[in-house]
Amino acid sequence: MIIALFVFLAVGVLVAATPGAVLGYAFVAVSGGLSHGKRVGLLLLLAAASASAWLTVVGADNTWRLPTVTVSFIATLVSGATFLGREANRLRAARFRTGPWPNWQPPAGPHGGR
């Protein structure tokens, strides 16, 4: 019986988190032209809107309403923040190229000899 409860909880978290995670990723993919500050603010607004959408799906007197809304909000924020960070690292890496090691000299001959 306890295993069934854990399976039920795992499926519930998966159902509540998946739309939020996809929404957070899609927002970052679409909002590339905005500044970083605007994207973070809109991501917070989108996460709140996504979580409030669950209020209409889950009944007002349901015990699982608050955990469902919380999981959806956190999933949207974590997904969006993760992909914003990855995109920022990718753009920063392209801007600052690293040169070779200071004392490194390429081999002179075709077989690596000097």
Side-chain angles (χ1 to χ4, degrees), residues 10-111:
V11 169
V13 167
L14 187 67
V15 166
T18 301
V22 169
L23 193 61
Y25 173 74
F27 170 76
V28 171
V30 170
S31 68
L34 297 174
S35 69
H36 187 70
K38 287 182 182 178
R39 290 171 90 181
V40 170
L42 287 174
L43 181 63
L44 284 169
L45 184 66
L46 182 70
S50 170
S52 66
W54 279 102
L55 293 175
T56 60
V57 175
V58 181
D61 58 345
N62 195 339
T63 308
W64 296 102
R65 184 175 73 168
L66 182 62
T68 304
V69 168
T70 304
V71 165
S72 176
F73 182 78
I74 290 172
T76 306
L77 275 184
V78 167
S79 173
T82 300
F83 287 109
L84 273 176
R86 292 176 101 187
E87 183 178 329
N89 286 340
R90 183 178 50 88
L91 293 175
R92 188 178 311 120
R95 191 173 54 200
F96 298 117
R97 288 189 33 201
T98 58
W101 194 262
N103 292 330
W104 183 81
Q105 296 177 0
H111 301 290

